[in-house]
Amino acid sequence: MSNEGHRTLMRADRILEYVARCDEPPTLSALARSIEAPVSSTQDLVKELCALGYLTMAGKRYALGLRAHMLATIAGSATASGVDHAELVRLSEVARAPIGIAALVGHEIYYLDHAGPRAPDHIQIVADDHRPRPTLRTAAGRLLLASADEPAREKILSGLRGDDPEGAAQFQQELPRIRRDRLARSDGLADPDIAAIAVPTSGATAAFVLFARRAPRGGRVPALESAARRLQNELGR
């Protein structure tokens, strides 16, 4: 590793430790002071840390993201954020459907855990292997993006519009409804065979996701809609 690369890595590590030790999310200026670097160069590094999911924006302040947690989950050494597996099993029994927990890590969606009846095989593989999923095409991604505060949402969207302008436009159109209902759907957007509904967890960093096979001609799946209502009733939403 070059000296420049080593210095960048050390600065990133110092920033993450500083954020972890702060009583409240620090500003960009505070992060720059913590590593004794100009705001301009710190901003570039912080932008990369946000894109990778190590940091997340909260207004004009920064908090730790879920990237490190996600890596621990992949390695099998972490539990799902905020909800243990036994509780997830119970919620799946209430909903009478396969259920997962998904999180927005950087600009992608990852499944942290799942429970209940097996989902269709290719979705089960995605959940088992914690494979990244497209934010604008998944129910969880659309819900978590809609739930983010506006500066954070716009920052993520600006990085997604170039890759998926159609998905970004559709999301913007549906944003008011998602925020109003606190529920998001994906009918074949990420997978042509799968319909999904996302419901928020008690925190703002993850979402419950219910799965079903998509209706032959698209549109809402009655059994999935019923499962979502049962889950919302149980969560008191």
Side-chain angles (χ1 to χ4, degrees):
M1 181 184 294
S2 68
N3 288 337
E4 181 64 29
H6 181 73
R7 184 165 67 248
T8 299
L9 180 59
M10 291 296 292
R11 284 181 169 179
D13 180 72
R14 286 169 59 191
I15 285 173
L16 295 175
E17 182 173 347
Y18 178 77
V19 173
R21 292 181 183 278
C22 282
D23 292 332
E24 62 177 8
T27 63
L28 179 63
S29 297
L31 294 181
R33 289 194 297 272
S34 75
I35 60 172
E36 301 178 343
V39 170
S40 57
S41 58
T42 304
Q43 185 175 33
D44 291 339
L45 179 54
V46 167
K47 183 178 180 180
E48 290 298 317
L49 289 171
C50 285
L52 291 169
Y54 288 101
L55 291 177
T56 184
M57 282 189 71
K60 293 185 177 181
R61 295 176 178 271
Y62 295 88
L64 290 180
L66 289 171
R67 180 62 177 171
H69 176 85
M70 190 64 239
L71 294 175
T73 297
I74 292 171
S77 57
T79 57
S81 178
V83 180
D84 64 25
H85 186 72
E87 175 65 2
L88 199 61
V89 170
R90 187 186 74 82
L91 291 175
S92 175
E93 291 171 350
V94 168
R96 298 176 220 161
I99 187 172
I101 293 184
L104 183 61
V105 182
H107 293 175
E108 295 176 305
I109 287 293
Y110 286 81
Y111 287 95
L112 305 177
D113 197 5
H114 61 92
R118 283 188 63 84
D121 286 344
H122 42 313
I123 291 298
Q124 192 73 34
I125 290 170
V126 166
D128 287 344
D129 294 351
H130 311 292
R131 297 182 184 179
R133 303 294 283 164
T135 296
L136 293 173
R137 299 282 171 170
T138 57
R142 292 148 71 82
L143 178 64
L144 292 171
L145 196 55
S147 302
D149 60 37
E150 188 173 356
R153 182 167 61 247
E154 283 305 312
K155 197 173 188 70
I156 295 171
L157 270 176
S158 67
L160 296 175
R161 284 191 180 98
D163 295 329
D164 190 3
E166 181 182 351
Q170 186 177 28
F171 169 77
Q172 289 281 31
Q173 184 178 3
E174 296 182 13
L175 177 60
R177 178 188 59 77
I178 295 173
R179 289 179 63 84
R180 182 196 69 215
D181 297 345
R182 301 188 72 231
L183 178 150
R185 295 176 176 83
S186 174
D187 179 29
L189 291 176
D191 187 302
D193 296 328
I194 297 298
I197 297 179
V199 175
T201 63
S202 58
T205 59
F208 294 115
V209 187
L210 299 165
F211 306 101
R213 288 201 177 275
R214 191 182 179 209
R217 297 183 180 180
R220 297 186 180 182
V221 179
L224 186 60
E225 297 294 323
S226 297
R229 285 194 295 273
R230 286 191 289 269
L231 180 59
Q232 286 181 308
N233 290 338
E234 179 66 18
L235 297 172
R237 305 291 160 78

